[in-house]
Every structure is written in structure tokens, then in C-alpha cells.
Amino acid sequence: MRAIVIGAAWIAAAGLGCSAEEGTSCGTSERLCGTVCTNVLLDARNCGRCGNACPAGQTCQSGACAGSCPGGLTSCDGTCVDTLYNPAHCGRCDNVCPSGGHCDAGVCRGSCSAGQTSCSGTCVDLRSSPQHCGECGNACGAGEACFDGACQTGCPVGFDECDGRCVDYQKDEENCGGCNNACDPGESCESGTCGLRCPDGYEPCGGVCVVLASDHGNCGSCGHACGAGEVCAGGDCTTGGCPSGLSDCGGSCVDTDNDPENCGTCEHACPSGEACTSGDCGVLCPTGQEDCGGSCVTLDTDPLHCGSCGNDCRTDQTCRAGACACPSPREECGGACADTRIDPENCGACGTTCTGSEACVDGGCTVACPSGATPCSGYCVDTLSDRNNCGSCGNACGSGESCTEGACSAGGGVAGDTCASPIDVTGGGRFSGTVAGAGADYAGSCGGISGRDVVFRYTLTGTTDVYLNTFNSAFDTLVYVRPAPCGGTGADLACNDDARSTLRSELELLDQPAGTYFIYLDAYSSYSTGAYVLDVFFSAPSSLGGDACGEPTWLDVGTATTVGGNTCPWYWIDARDDAVACGRGTGGLDFVYAFVVTTAGSYTFDTCGGDTTWDSILDLRRVCNDETSATRVTCNDDSCSTQSSITETLAPGVYYLWVDGYSESACGGYTINVSHP
């Protein structure tokens, strides 16, 4: 297990109390150094006492200057911190989370919007920021511009340099027609001119959005008004009255069952953002769900709207019966969920701290760990297999190394061979390795008794959609998923051997509850072995299937000639903005397709032909949730007018095709044409 230490309470037993001046209150383990309360147990500039600075290369531990930090901690200017959870050093030293955010697993959460990254407390877009191009702190030089995460001299064709960014003046709503010429709220940028943004099916006419098929003053085209006694039906003026099922509302033939301007009766307009269904305005949610800001959610289980709209649970909490709570067996301790059975800061009860030489075992501080384990930084670990404490406490193996029989070795053992060291895939993405040399330890309900296997672990903090596959693996695989504990005898949540007419495997688990789960990647038989590639993706549940990597829509490229859908079919279940593609692509609604190439050859995907009327983008990737150029196959914005087309020679394997909108106003029905060998 990985030894994780958060904060300084675990060393409070060193006996250094607070001796603040009168009228000044410092916390536990703090002294007033000058005018600042300082933790003298950790601060390398005031180690043990004020003004006692540790020599260069040393850190402050338990109030004494020492060498390297304990396992799991990182030295930041001589202070040992946990970069997994410290908001001032999140993921790396000096990476400060923005105000209102927090550090979770080395990533600043709850502070930056989708597509942005925190750089020292500031949310930036690494794809276009000239000060942080591609990575935090990478500033472009004079005369350079940032485009797609890289500094370059000049901009691609169709883009112009604006304040160090490459922008499209024809479409960019912040730079429409020229640099820094922003459109007003509610407007979109088309052909370099700001104009009214209308919902799908409406057209801008004289500053208002109308339906040309039925508008009396704009019948068939803007400005074409019907005469007195005429009505507009199907885009034509007629004296024959409205067709059956439509009502005459001021000369416009409308369906009052679904017309938001005449809902239920003429001139009864629905409020902005609401739809008209069966003659009633509102956001209509399924039974058991509530409307929260235009989204249908289950208040009993939704961690973003737990018990009431907007009640956002912490990432370490789950939503149960409408209340934010720590997942069992963890409990609330000072604003965080702690497992009092093993947490040295909260051992047995909140605030009960073990000393530096003790470990927390079954809720009690002790110097004696169970047989085969050693106390390290407050936890009992197996130094024969723990890569952070390999052979002895604090001896961490290097990147790419494994701990085998207490020694770090690049060639020793197989990563994830047993439940003693499952590979953590909680972040999602593509993971590769081998089962060659692994043991045949487990079996699923669909097979794998004699096959070599490896184990992966992921933890969900709320209800989540999970998708995984092994299509890029080199041998006959099968996969199964079980809840904790690892290696338990519980039933498989799902098990798959051969998927999509291949010898590879695929699983989709929708609405999976919060908790810890284990993926077992197994060989079908003892003679099946080799390199594996596991794709595993997570996303929040969506009302629209195929809306994210956790539930992609399947595309059979061997037989399909077209595939289609709608990114904004109703007001209350619009697709989410997940992908960021070439061109602009931020804020646009999108869908994702997964497909497997079994026959190498040239494949073409396009939205040309007129069925897609909004500005679309196609983005083809090898890894679904990786928007960087490292795994992108190709991306195209405008190939046929504002539509897109890509043609690539593809090798056998799994791919992910995103259809995206250039801007937040670009959405609607679409058709993707597919050509294949």
C-alpha cells in the first residue's frame, strides 16, 4: 500500500507546543516567529525553533533538520509536503490552487472551468496562453504566438495573431472581425461579424429569432410578410387557413403543443431556457429527478446536487439519501474523510495522533505491525513489495521500477501482478504493460482460470459511467470488474471475453455507485500471453448516450456508411462540452464514437453534404480523453465550407471520433459520412 501523510499532526507528539506572545493565538505545533505563526515541526527556515534554518539539501522533520522526506512526501524549499493534497503545492512544488479550489490527487479541483489548468493560482488555457503555452510557465518569445499548445512563429492559414494567440477572426466571438472585438452576450460570430445567436430551427430576422416556416412577418425568408387575412404555413403565405393540428396565432401557423412562443395557447411564451412540451412550459425531468439549473438530477445520489440543488459534496464524500457523507468505513474528521482504522492522524478517533515511530493498526497506535509488515510514516507496509518503502522505510523505487523481495529492479516482477500492488487507473486513460511473467491468480465468471492476470484499481467518489476495453492488446483477453476487497469472492459486476467479433474485451458500467473497484485483465488460457493495452474512461452520467468517454457510442466502421445524432435535441438534455478540438472547439457541444479497425486502410469521415447545418469539427484520437497532439490522429475544422472532413490510413486498433461544435452556439442535428476499405 502507498504510505500517504497529510499535514503535520502525525508528528505532533514531538512535544513542541505553541508559545505565542500574549494576545496571539497559534495552532498546535506552531510558534510565533516574528509576526507569523509558523509550524516549527516542518518549516525548514524555523526548524524546531524560530530562526533555526536547515542547511541546503536538508528538510525539517519532527522539528529537526534531516535528509530526504519520508515516503510519500516531497521537499518544497526544505519543507516536506504531500503534493497530492496540499493546495499550495498541488502536484508539484509551488503550484497554488486558485481561490475556492482544493487539491485532490495532485490536481486542483473545483476552481478552473473545463479546458483550463491552474498555473500558480491562475486558470489558463494551455492551448492558447502565450504565458503558459503547453505547460505552466512556458512563455512564448517575442514574435511568437501560442497555437495548440506550442509556440510558433506566425499562425496557420485562416488564423491571425492577437495578443500572442492564434485566433480565427471569422468565427471567434472574443475577436470577431479583428483583435479584441468581442461580441455582445447572446451574439455569435459569423463571417467576421457579430450577430444574433438563435436556437436550432430559428433564424435571425431584424434582431429577433423566428421560425421562417410559420412566422407571419417573415414567411419563408426574412422580411417576407404575409398579407391581411393570410397565414404562414410551411414557409408559404396562404388564405386557406392553418393545416390540421396547427393553430392560427396572429397569422402564424404553430403547434401550441411544442411552440415555446405560443405554449398551450397563442401568445403564451415560455421563460428563457424552458421548453414547451404537451402545451406546458418547463424543464421536464423523469420521475425521481429534479430540475437543477436546467439539468435533471437525482438529489438522493448526485454529489453536485445532494439533497438540494447546488449542494456540492467534497470529492472525498459521497451522496447517500440526499446527504453528503464519507464512504464507509471512513468518517468525518476536521473537514476530511479519514479511515480511523489506519490513519495515523486520526487513529481510532478523530484527532488521536500516533508518534513518528508508531503505526495505526485496527484503530490503535502501536510499534508492532502484523506479521510481514513494518511501520513506515504511520502506516504498516510490506517492505518486500511496497515500491515507496522497498526494503526499508522511505526507500522509494524510481519511475518504471518495481519492488520485488525488498529490492528495486526494472526487470523484477510484473506490475499489478496481484492484489498486493494493483495499478491505480482512477485518473482514466490508456495503460499498457504485459502479463508475461505474471501469475495465474484469479478467474472471472466468463473464464480465465489458467490465464496469467494483472489487477487494476479505481475509486469513484460519486455515481459514474465507466467504459473500458482491451482492443489494442496483443493476445486473447478477458476482463471482469469486482468491488472491494481485491481478490474477494464476490460476484463479478460484469465480465466479458470476446467483444465486437474480436478476441479482445470490452465493458460498459453505467451509473456505477461510489466506491473502490478492481479490474482484472486476464488471459483466456495459459498459452495466451503478451503485451496488453487497457483503455479505461470515466464520466458523470448523462441524459444523452455517447456524450462522454465513459459511455461512447459504438460505430461499426466495417458496415456503416453514415451515423448521426443531435447535440442539442431538447433544451434540458443538451450534450456536454467535453472535448477541445482544433480550431476553437471550446464551449461547443460534442459527442464521441468508439470504433475498432480490423482491416488496415484509408478511412474517411466527414460532415459535408448539407445535413449538418452548424459549424462542426471532427477530432480523431487514439485515446478518448487525451486532447493533446501526442495521441491525436488528426483534427479538422473547415474543409467543406464550415463542415469538416478527415481522411487517414489507420492501422488495426481502437479509435475515438469526436464531433464537436466550433462555439457554444454551434449545435444541432448532424450526419457523419463514413467511407472505408
Side-chain angles (χ1 to χ4, degrees):
M1 65 177 290
R2 185 181 189 281
I4 298 177
V5 181
I6 306 173
W10 63 284
I11 49 178
L16 293 172
C18 176
S19 59
E21 295 179 355
E22 184 178 354
T24 303
S25 177
C26 290
T28 303
S29 304
E30 291 183 331
R31 291 178 183 268
L32 188 67
C33 295
T35 59
V36 179
C37 287
T38 303
N39 190 332
V40 294
L41 295 178
L42 292 176
D43 194 325
R45 294 164 298 183
N46 303 276
C47 191
R49 64 183 185 277
C50 294
N52 183 39
C54 293
Q58 291 194 347
T59 62
C60 184
Q61 302 175 36
S62 302
C65 295
S68 60
C69 293
L73 301 185
T74 300
S75 173
C76 292
D77 295 328
T79 299
C80 295
V81 300
D82 190 339
T83 56
L84 289 177
Y85 300 100
N86 193 311
H89 306 279
C90 190
R92 62 185 184 280
C93 292
D94 300 321
N95 184 39
V96 183
C97 292
S99 176
H102 60 279
C103 186
D104 183 9
V107 178
C108 290
R109 311 279 187 184
S111 50
C112 293
S113 59
Q116 291 192 324
T117 301
S118 169
C119 290
S120 298
T122 302
C123 295
V124 299
D125 188 337
L126 297 180
R127 299 174 303 276
S128 61
S129 172
Q131 291 79 34
H132 307 278
C133 190
E135 61 180 318
C136 291
N138 182 38
C140 295
E144 291 185 323
C146 184
F147 181 75
D148 203 17
C151 296
Q152 59 185 51
T153 302
C155 293
V157 176
F159 291 82
D160 291 278
E161 189 275 333
C162 176
D163 296 336
R165 294 175 169 84
C166 291
V167 300
D168 186 348
Y169 289 156
Q170 298 298 304
K171 303 175 182 178
D172 197 303
E173 292 170 8
E174 297 177 358
N175 304 277
C176 189
C179 188
N180 296 321
N181 182 37
C183 296
D184 292 333
E187 291 185 331
S188 61
C189 181
E190 302 293 341
S191 301
T193 303
C194 294
L196 186 66
R197 180 190 304 152
C198 292
D200 191 40
Y202 286 74
E203 296 292 334
C205 288
V208 296
C209 296
V210 301
V211 179
L212 297 179
S214 61
D215 192 88
H216 186 268
N218 302 276
C219 190
S221 62
C222 289
H224 180 230
C226 296
E230 291 183 324
V231 296
C232 181
D236 294 321
C237 296
T238 176
T239 58
C242 291
S244 176
L246 301 182
S247 301
D248 180 357
C249 291
S252 299
C253 293
V254 300
D255 185 350
T256 56
D257 278 349
N258 56 36
D259 190 315
E261 301 299 326
N262 302 275
C263 189
T265 185
C266 291
E267 299 184 2
H268 178 230
C270 294
S272 176
E274 291 191 5
C276 179
T277 304
S278 300
D280 290 321
C281 296
V283 177
L284 301 183
C285 294
T287 302
Q289 293 190 331
E290 298 291 335
D291 168 29
C292 288
S295 299
C296 295
V297 302
T298 304
L299 298 180
D300 278 350
T301 59
D302 194 309
L304 299 179
H305 307 279
C306 188
S308 62
C309 292
N311 185 33
D312 187 359
C313 297
R314 297 196 314 265
T315 57
D316 61 346
Q317 293 178 318
T318 60
C319 182
R320 300 196 304 267
C324 295
C326 294
S328 179
R330 296 177 179 269
E331 57 184 89
E332 189 76 20
C333 287
C337 292
D339 187 343
T340 57
R341 300 172 306 171
I342 60 172
D343 190 336
E345 292 184 352
N346 303 279
C347 191
C350 293
T352 300
T353 307
C354 298
T355 67
S357 61
E358 294 178 324
C360 184
V361 180
D362 293 329
C365 294
T366 178
V367 295
C369 283
S371 177
T374 301
C376 291
S377 300
Y379 292 87
C380 288
V381 301
D382 184 355
T383 57
L384 294 179
S385 61
D386 192 300
R387 65 184 312 273
N388 292 298
N389 302 277
C390 190
S392 62
C393 294
N395 183 39
C397 295
S399 176
E401 290 185 323
S402 299
C403 181
T404 304
E405 297 303 319
C408 296
S409 171
V414 175
D417 187 10
T418 68
C419 285
S421 57
I423 300 170
D424 196 316
V425 296
T426 299
R430 174 161 290 183
F431 304 87
S432 58
T434 182
V435 297
D441 303 301
Y442 313 104
S445 57
C446 57
I449 294 177
S450 62
R452 300 177 183 273
D453 42 54
V454 288
V455 187
F456 306 83
R457 177 187 64 232
Y458 63 89
T459 300
L460 306 180
T461 58
T463 303
T464 304
D465 291 341
V466 181
Y467 173 75
L468 60 94
N469 70 64
T470 63
F471 288 124
N472 277 35
S473 298
F475 61 97
D476 188 355
T477 67
L478 61 90
V479 294
Y480 41 101
V481 175
R482 293 175 183 165
C486 186
T489 58
D492 297 342
L493 296 179
C495 186
N496 177 257
D497 180 13
D498 299 336
R500 311 292 182 184
S501 301
T502 73
L503 296 179
R504 309 301 179 258
S505 313
E506 178 189 41
L507 287 177
E508 185 178 59
L509 297 94
L510 301 181
D511 299 325
Q512 193 170 1
T516 296
Y517 300 87
F518 294 88
I519 302 169
Y520 302 80
L521 195 161
D522 211 329
Y524 179 74
S525 62
S526 60
Y527 49 82
S528 295
T529 188
Y532 67 79
V533 176
L534 173 69
D535 282 7
V536 55
F537 305 113
F538 308 94
S539 56
S542 171
S543 301
L544 294 179
D547 191 16
C549 290
E551 49 167 340
T553 296
W554 182 256
L555 170 60
D556 187 346
V557 293
T559 60
T561 56
T562 63
V563 64
N566 196 317
T567 55
C568 51
W570 304 102
Y571 290 105
W572 60 90
I573 54 170
D574 283 358
R576 295 173 296 193
D577 170 33
D578 298 295
V580 177
C582 53
R584 186 178 176 189
T586 56
L589 307 180
D590 42 57
F591 275 124
V592 60
Y593 292 86
F595 65 89
V596 167
V597 170
T598 56
T599 303
S602 178
Y603 291 77
T604 297
F605 306 89
D606 70 68
T607 55
C608 309
D611 290 341
T612 309
T613 59
W614 42 278
D615 192 349
S616 65
I617 292 173
L618 290 177
D619 188 7
L620 183 60
R621 306 176 184 177
R622 293 182 179 87
V623 179
C624 185
N625 65 349
D626 187 356
E627 60 195 44
T628 67
S629 58
T631 63
R632 173 174 289 152
V633 178
T634 188
C635 184
N636 179 260
D637 179 12
D638 297 337
S639 182
C640 39
S641 184
T642 58
Q643 305 313 315
S644 307
S645 178
I646 55 179
T647 299
E648 285 290 324
T649 299
L650 302 179
V654 63
Y655 298 88
Y656 304 90
L657 178 66
W658 287 91
V659 55
D660 200 355
Y662 179 84
S663 66
E664 62 184 18
S665 61
C667 71
Y670 64 87
T671 297
I672 302 175
N673 303 303
V674 183
S675 300
H676 46 80

